[in-house]
Amino acid sequence: MKKIFCVILLTCVSLTFSQSKISGSIVNESNEPIAFASVVLLEEKNGVSSDVNGLFEFNNLKEGEYKIRFSYIGYATKTEKINLKQNETKTISIVLKENNTLNEVTVTGTLKPVSRLETPVPVEVYTTAFLKKNPTPNVFEALQNINGVRPQLNCNICNTGDIHINGLEGPYTMVTIDGMPIVSGLSTVYGLSGIPNSLIDRIEVVKGPASSLYGSEAVGGLINIITKNAITAPIVSADVFSTSWLENNVDIGAKYKLGKNINSLLGINYFNYSNPIDNNNDNFTDVTLQERISIFQKFDFNRKENRRMSLAGRYFYEDRWGGEIQWNKSYRGGNEVYGESIYTIRFELLGNYQLPVKENMNLAFSYTYHNQNSVYGDTFYLANQKIAFGQYTWDKKIQNHDILLGSAFRYQYYNDNTTATEEPEKTKIYSVFLQDEIKLSENKSLLLGSRYDYNNNHGSIFTPRIAYKWKPNQNSVFRINAGTGFRVVNLFTEEHAALTGSRDVIITEDLKPEKSYNINVNYLTKVHFENGSVGVFDISSWYTYFNNQIIPDYDTNPNEIIYSNLDGYVQTLGITANADFIFPFGLKSSVGITYLEPKINRDNETSTPILTEKFSGTWSLGYEIPQWFLSFDYTGTIYGPMRLPLLSDLDPRPEYSPIWSIQNIQFTYKRIANFELYGGVKNLFNWTPNKSTPFLIARPHDPFDENVTYDTNGNVVATPDNPYALTFDPGYVYGSNQGIRMFLGIRYTLY
């Protein structure tokens, strides 16, 4: 028996030590390590990412030939063949050639993978490296450093927000996860804060109408959040940081296998801020207090012929409140102490399945459940929304035609306790779309697209688009895009001022879908300078025209919000430019600027839209000091004046905001293997909006309007106690009240 045991033991030891190994390093052409590059064993369908020093390793391999694919966004993909003998350790060094941002593969513009230089639709790509330059606890805040994209706060108390693209309001921006419409309707108000950065592989941004592919809401632009691949994600990752305001954020990620054919990715995010601060002395919290948790699970399935199949789900819970400093939950819903308290429960499910046929056919689906239990003072807003979405696409190449045919169905259930929703709203949208990219010559192509939607409430909607692309050389591309967009409106999911109870909501007619017409001209080029530096320049100009637009009228009566289809038009003319530079001595920089000319024509009278900046700019500066294992990042944004909502002719607050800027600085130390230590300062110059106005919240001492006097027509009367004829209102907001704060964090990554 002992002999048998010894033979088995020796056999196991022999097998263990006979396993082979492949390890190596990945560097760029300047011999600098490339961290977080993707390394995939194609035969094994197994992958890792390089660590912060560019190192990778595969253990316990069998004898044989392996194909290894090395890729990283901004660099040309490289494939190596390795012949591995039994009990052999091979060490290789891989040099990836820099492509900068021109050959990144995008999927958002045309619903199919294509190089950024080849797509006829301009797409901007932002990687995790971009997100790490200014660490934030969620996507909403991270987007502030993208030129032409502005996270807009809509309430001084509960900090609701949406995302503006090129000056258009948040409801005109569609946010998708892996191409599926996840953040829409009710979740545009609070759902954006629940997407943790730890799940993100990259963010793709399209500025301009995308309704011909994505339908309603993709009028002003599209933000597609693409999650990490379970094969190439780190085995374990963690990112923990805290600020001097006692904001605490924890991101944890892990990958594991279920059997031989299922790769799984788990992500958990927890955020807590429970330290009431009132630096502007109005007896209201400067920043909303929040506690939230988000759990994400993704499965990638290995199938024959590398066909795609994935399934992902996310659970999100958030408890947030803002209000008078002395508020606690015992006052919730009462009229003694004012507070705005929101409980949010949210589920998401999304999947993608490539059909087992010769043709490239895909089925994709998503389902979201969103429940909101909220109180604004003594006004309850209880809402429930369910959205089911399914989509079929067929991708076919016929000679010089690249055709995409698709159909989609969207069902939305919405119900709340407001008088505007007498019974639950059930909306069905049936859609078919066709896109044909025609290659006219080696460097010219034409894209024709159209979409037909049938809405059970509004009938038929047709949205065509056309795009032309010309590549004068290998490093430049010129594009013209023209198209239409549409949006079906749900007021109470998008207009926070309607929920506060501070104004009455008046709907004067049956509202029709909004329609837009847009033309966009884009030029992108890459330039190599004699000193070895590389620059990428991206410039666009656009014109957008709206009819049937629904704009809340705050001006006619300060106690009302009046909704109707606009008798007139809205137009926006603008230009945006980005420049990115990489210098041979370790310096990277980028700068962007956007200029807008927005105009509303209502009843032949012209005005400027509220909360639309005249210009904005972003910049970043990064410098690596390898001998010190240190990197430095400086980021900033600047915004021009925007018109703000005043309550009366006597309101003493400025009608326009000043020029304002938020700037941040960060240092990252990478000496310790698998760890990164980082810290810095946010809002370096301590800018807050209260510094340029006598007060932000109107009548904070009388939040239930108990001492407001009205005339017989319902208008507020000026009194000694109310000399400016105001009512309580938290809507005068254009930036965060959060001042300067330090932050400190640590990242751990195991491959």
Side-chain angles (χ1 to χ4, degrees):
M1 185 69 182
K2 289 183 179 179
K3 289 183 179 180
I4 295 174
F5 176 76
C6 290
V7 170
I8 293 173
L9 180 62
L10 290 171
T11 302
C12 292
V13 171
S14 174
L15 288 172
T16 300
F17 285 99
S18 66
Q19 297 291 339
S20 302
K21 172 181 173 182
I22 299 175
S23 63
S25 62
I26 307 173
V27 298
N28 60 21
E29 293 173 287
S30 300
N31 203 35
E32 298 171 335
I34 301 177
F36 313 117
S38 171
V39 187
V40 179
L41 286 173
L42 296 179
E43 291 83 358
E44 300 291 318
K45 295 182 180 177
N46 184 27
V48 297
S49 294
S50 60
D51 64 16
V52 293
N53 298 310
L55 303 177
F56 68 93
E57 187 173 275
F58 291 102
N59 294 306
N60 301 324
L61 298 177
K62 297 179 181 179
E63 179 181 3
E65 181 180 272
Y66 292 89
K67 287 182 181 178
I68 308 179
R69 185 182 65 208
F70 303 87
S71 62
Y72 186 70
I73 291 180
Y75 292 82
T77 298
K78 191 172 187 177
T79 302
E80 291 282 330
K81 286 185 179 180
I82 303 293
N83 287 306
L84 197 60
K85 298 179 181 178
Q86 188 175 7
N87 199 25
E88 180 183 16
T89 297
K90 279 210 170 179
T91 303
I92 59 177
S93 180
I94 301 297
V95 179
L96 295 185
K97 294 184 178 181
E98 181 265 327
N99 266 341
N100 209 308
T101 58
L102 295 189
N103 289 324
E104 296 167 343
V105 174
T106 72
V107 296
T108 304
T110 58
L111 274 181
K112 60 179 72 178
V114 61
S115 162
R116 185 184 175 196
L117 191 63
E118 298 298 332
T119 176
V121 179
V123 180
E124 298 177 14
V125 181
Y126 299 92
T127 67
T128 53
F130 169 84
L131 299 176
K132 289 179 179 179
K133 291 180 180 180
N134 179 31
T136 61
N138 56 66
V139 170
F140 178 76
E141 295 179 39
L143 295 173
Q144 64 185 302
N145 287 328
I146 297 179
N147 181 32
V149 177
R150 181 170 67 86
Q152 164 65 38
L153 291 178
N154 295 325
C155 176
N156 271 303
I157 298 176
C158 68
N159 290 172
T160 57
D162 54 37
I163 296 175
H164 293 201
I165 292 183
N166 289 345
L168 291 178
E169 295 283 340
Y172 300 103
T173 300
M174 173 174 274
V175 180
T176 63
I177 297 180
D178 291 334
M180 292 291 97
I182 293 295
V183 181
S184 60
L186 188 61
S187 62
T188 58
V189 181
Y190 300 104
L192 289 169
S193 62
I195 302 174
N197 294 342
S198 61
L199 307 180
I200 299 172
D201 178 67
R202 66 186 187 274
I203 299 174
E204 297 183 0
V205 179
V206 174
K207 298 174 182 175
S211 291
S212 64
L213 279 183
Y214 292 92
S216 178
E217 299 177 44
V219 179
L222 177 71
I223 297 173
N224 189 14
I225 299 166
I226 298 175
T227 59
K228 291 179 179 178
N229 189 307
I231 295 176
T232 58
I235 297 173
V236 178
S237 65
D239 189 345
V240 181
F241 75 84
S242 183
T243 74
S244 56
W245 279 47
L246 301 183
E247 300 163 290
N248 302 302
N249 186 74
V250 179
D251 270 322
I252 298 174
K255 76 171 182 179
Y256 56 94
K257 297 199 73 168
L258 295 175
K260 294 182 179 180
N261 297 317
I262 303 177
N263 296 284
S264 303
L265 178 65
L266 173 67
I268 300 174
N269 171 257
Y270 176 76
F271 177 79
N272 180 281
Y273 171 62
S274 53
N275 179 40
I277 292 177
D278 179 24
N279 285 338
N280 59 16
N281 299 315
D282 60 4
N283 196 44
F284 276 75
T285 53
D286 289 346
V287 177
T288 303
L289 286 80
Q290 303 172 52
E291 183 175 29
R292 63 172 176 264
I293 186 167
S294 176
I295 302 173
F296 177 85
Q297 176 69 65
K298 182 178 182 180
F299 301 100
D300 285 317
F301 298 83
N302 295 328
R303 300 175 61 209
K304 293 181 180 179
E305 301 180 12
N306 291 320
R307 292 191 179 101
R308 296 180 299 276
M309 181 177 176
S310 65
L311 182 67
R314 186 168 72 102
Y315 167 79
F316 168 74
Y317 173 78
E318 182 182 68
D319 177 359
R320 67 161 62 195
W321 75 269
E324 295 185 86
I325 290 293
Q326 66 270 29
W327 188 90
N328 60 55
K329 290 186 178 180
S330 67
Y331 295 108
R332 193 175 196 266
N335 59 5
E336 296 178 54
V337 179
Y338 189 91
E340 298 185 358
S341 170
I342 300 97
Y343 302 145
T344 301
I345 296 177
R346 182 171 175 81
F347 298 96
E348 299 168 355
L349 184 67
L350 59 154
N352 188 293
Y353 179 75
Q354 184 177 359
L355 296 177
V357 295
K358 291 183 179 180
E359 302 291 341
N360 187 4
M361 297 182 180
N362 286 273
L363 291 174
F365 71 90
S366 67
Y367 173 80
T368 64
Y369 169 88
H370 190 105
N371 184 274
Q372 182 176 319
N373 180 330
S374 50
V375 174
Y376 302 87
D378 56 1
T379 301
F380 280 83
Y381 176 67
L382 309 176
N384 182 270
Q385 178 179 270
K386 303 168 189 175
I387 299 177
F389 178 82
Q391 180 171 271
Y392 161 82
T393 57
W394 174 45
D395 187 1
K396 179 72 173 178
K397 290 187 178 181
I398 304 175
Q399 296 180 349
N400 65 328
H401 294 262
D402 192 350
I403 299 172
L404 181 73
L405 175 66
S407 62
F409 172 73
R410 174 168 171 158
Y411 171 81
Q412 176 173 307
Y413 170 94
Y414 174 78
N415 193 21
D416 65 30
N417 65 318
T418 68
T419 56
T421 310
E422 295 180 357
E423 59 183 35
E425 296 179 5
K426 299 177 182 179
T427 304
K428 299 176 183 178
I429 302 179
Y430 305 85
S431 310
V432 292
F433 53 90
L434 176 64
Q435 175 181 277
D436 184 10
E437 185 175 350
I438 308 166
K439 192 165 186 178
L440 303 176
S441 65
E442 188 63 30
N443 59 355
K444 297 177 182 177
S445 65
L446 178 69
L447 183 143
L448 302 174
S450 61
R451 181 185 184 102
Y452 171 79
D453 291 86
Y454 180 80
N455 183 293
N456 63 311
N457 294 321
H458 300 288
S460 299
I461 305 171
F462 180 65
T463 48
R465 77 164 169 176
I466 183 171
Y468 174 77
K469 183 199 70 178
W470 171 49
K471 285 180 59 180
N473 55 60
Q474 289 302 310
N475 290 324
S476 302
V477 61
F478 174 81
R479 291 173 280 218
I480 300 178
N481 279 260
T484 62
F486 76 95
R487 189 173 75 96
V488 178
V489 177
N490 189 325
L491 300 179
F492 290 88
T493 66
E494 298 157 353
E495 186 55 56
H496 170 262
L499 310 180
T500 63
S502 61
R503 294 178 183 237
D504 294 326
V505 176
I506 307 297
I507 301 174
T508 61
E509 60 183 341
D510 290 334
L511 300 176
K512 301 175 183 177
E514 299 180 338
K515 292 185 178 180
S516 73
Y517 307 87
N518 175 277
I519 185 168
N520 180 294
V521 179
N522 170 260
Y523 179 69
L524 175 67
T525 187
K526 176 180 176 182
V527 179
H528 291 269
F529 298 98
E530 292 183 358
N531 64 354
S533 302
V534 178
V536 175
F537 303 90
D538 187 352
I539 184 169
S540 296
S541 181
W542 75 92
Y543 174 76
T544 302
Y545 178 93
F546 280 93
N547 60 13
N548 283 347
Q549 191 171 20
I550 300 168
I551 301 176
D553 178 4
Y554 294 90
D555 300 326
T556 300
N557 188 328
N559 298 310
E560 297 178 344
I561 307 175
I562 302 173
Y563 292 99
S564 62
N565 284 113
L566 181 66
D567 183 11
Y569 63 87
V570 176
Q571 66 178 27
T572 303
L573 178 67
I575 186 169
T576 183
N578 293 287
D580 299 287
F581 298 94
I582 298 178
F583 299 94
F585 49 86
L587 180 67
K588 297 180 180 180
S589 68
S590 66
V591 62
I593 189 166
T594 298
Y595 177 80
L596 302 170
E597 278 289 349
K599 182 171 67 173
I600 299 176
N601 184 288
R602 188 199 304 265
D603 299 326
N604 295 320
E605 294 186 5
T606 301
S607 62
T608 302
I610 286 178
L611 297 175
T612 302
E613 66 276 15
K614 193 79 169 180
F615 67 87
S616 64
T618 61
W619 65 86
S620 69
L621 191 67
Y623 185 62
E624 294 272 352
I625 311 175
Q627 60 271 30
W628 293 356
F629 304 95
L630 191 67
S631 64
F632 160 86
D633 289 290
Y634 168 56
T635 58
T637 58
I638 187 169
Y639 301 104
M642 60 186 77
R643 191 165 76 92
L644 304 174
L646 299 180
L647 296 183
S648 74
D649 293 336
L650 300 175
D651 195 329
R653 295 174 294 183
E655 184 180 4
Y656 285 85
S657 65
I659 297 174
W660 55 285
S661 175
I662 300 292
Q663 301 175 42
N664 316 287
I665 192 170
Q666 175 185 247
F667 295 91
T668 306
Y669 183 68
K670 307 175 184 177
R671 177 66 182 268
I672 307 171
N674 301 327
F675 284 90
E676 290 185 14
L677 303 176
Y678 62 92
V681 180
K682 291 179 178 289
N683 198 354
L684 191 60
F685 297 104
N686 197 29
W687 178 89
T688 52
N690 65 289
K691 294 184 178 181
S692 59
T693 184
F695 54 86
L696 292 173
I697 299 176
R699 292 185 62 80
H701 61 283
D702 186 21
F704 297 98
D705 291 335
E706 295 174 348
N707 299 312
V708 175
T709 302
Y710 302 89
D711 63 17
T712 54
N713 295 320
N715 297 314
V716 181
V717 176
T719 63
D721 179 62
N722 188 12
Y724 305 123
L726 305 179
T727 56
F728 172 74
D729 191 276
Y732 187 92
V733 58
Y734 55 95
S736 173
N737 294 319
Q738 197 167 25
I740 187 171
R741 60 205 183 278
M742 294 177 287
F743 65 94
L744 184 66
I746 183 170
R747 298 187 186 100
Y748 172 75
T749 312
L750 178 65
Y751 297 94

